[in-house]
Amino acid sequence: MPGTLYIVATPIGNLADITLRAISTLKSVDLIAAEDTRHTKILLDKYEISAPTTSYFEHNKVQKSDYLIRVLKEGKSVALVSDAGTPGISDPGYKIIRLALENGIAVVPIPGPSGLVAALTISGKPTDSFTFEGFLSNKAARRKNQLKKLKDEGRTVILYESPHRIAKLLQDILEVYGDTQIVLAREVTKKFEEVLRDRVSVIIAHFAANRPRGEFVVII
């Protein structure tokens, strides 16, 4: 009998935001596949979890997926975790999940934190219909085209962005949407949590005077 692949959501910042079931699962599995084993070790040490770990990230996903499938076929259980939040959201987790399903291996979700949901719930934007696009293209022309298509949908839009690209994204939003009200959530649940709710031009001015830090959830 093959083992089970557990998709375990972990805290997006505050280590207390982990479920009892997630802790129990991580303690019981034969192997933990982590986006960054050094980062995950902080969480494992806090909750005295001693299961062995292996790395699984964007640049080794092909060879590591084959390895993890072999481990699962041997009847061992594997927990997949990302650096923060729910695996498979803007990370390579979908590949191992798809391969596991194709090989008749059970995939079990262990629900928990999600950065996009946490930011959306405090945004004040409509939550009855929204679209999540993760990181848009790093090419300016393509990114603007993506924004134009999203604007035409008329739904709340949730994006991820890094600190070194946030200024360019904001300028594109201003060009495509006009000076609309948006929400930026930074470092949610962490010590320096910050939520900005204002017109695009005001937020652009804010970051002209204050260096962007941390990862952003952008809600339009």
Side-chain angles (χ1 to χ4, degrees):
M1 288 286 291
T4 300
L5 176 62
Y6 295 95
I7 311 304
V8 183
T10 54
I12 59 177
N14 190 319
L15 294 184
D17 293 335
I18 189 169
T19 68
L20 295 175
R21 187 180 177 207
I23 294 172
S24 175
T25 300
L26 293 174
K27 286 184 175 182
S28 68
V29 295
D30 297 298
L31 181 66
I32 298 172
E35 194 171 358
D36 184 334
T37 55
R38 295 165 301 178
H39 181 89
T40 298
K41 187 176 186 300
I42 298 171
L43 177 69
L44 301 184
D45 287 348
K46 178 175 178 61
Y47 292 103
E48 299 179 346
I49 298 167
S50 58
T53 61
T54 188
S55 64
Y56 179 81
F57 55 93
E58 182 63 34
H59 299 297
N60 75 351
K61 63 184 180 185
V62 175
Q63 59 266 40
K64 272 302 176 73
S65 291
D66 293 338
Y67 164 69
L68 293 174
I69 292 298
R70 288 200 304 271
V71 170
L72 287 160
K73 283 185 173 181
E74 291 171 359
K76 296 179 181 178
S77 56
V78 176
L80 178 68
V81 300
S82 65
D83 283 349
T86 302
I89 307 297
S90 286
D91 68 35
Y94 73 91
K95 180 173 178 59
I96 183 63
I97 293 168
R98 186 179 67 241
L99 281 175
L101 293 171
E102 290 173 354
N103 282 272
I105 295 165
V107 179
V108 176
I110 309 296
S114 171
L116 71 97
V117 173
L120 177 62
T121 57
I122 62 170
S123 69
K125 296 289 186 180
T127 60
D128 57 332
S129 179
F130 63 89
T131 181
F132 170 65
E133 290 293 317
F135 292 91
L136 296 185
S137 174
N138 59 3
K139 304 295 184 182
R142 185 179 178 192
R143 186 169 59 244
K144 288 179 184 178
N145 284 333
Q146 289 174 309
L147 286 169
K148 289 175 183 176
K149 290 178 181 178
L150 291 169
K151 181 183 179 183
D152 291 341
E153 289 190 18
R155 294 184 289 172
T156 298
V157 174
I158 307 172
L159 308 172
Y160 283 165
E161 194 51 277
S162 60
H164 67 277
R165 287 182 19 173
I166 189 65
K168 293 179 180 178
L169 175 63
L170 290 172
Q171 288 290 346
D172 289 342
I173 292 173
L174 180 62
E175 181 176 327
V176 174
Y177 281 82
D179 202 10
T180 189
Q181 290 273 342
I182 65 171
V183 177
L184 261 67
R186 180 182 75 88
E187 301 288 275
V188 175
T189 79
K190 300 179 183 179
K191 182 178 180 181
F192 299 106
E193 177 180 303
E194 179 182 30
V195 180
L196 302 175
R197 300 178 180 86
D198 219 316
R199 290 179 292 111
V200 184
S201 62
V202 175
I203 295 178
I204 289 174
H206 170 80
F207 286 123
N210 301 274
R211 178 185 172 189
R213 297 177 185 273
E215 298 295 319
F216 292 89
V217 181
V218 182
I219 304 178
I220 309 170

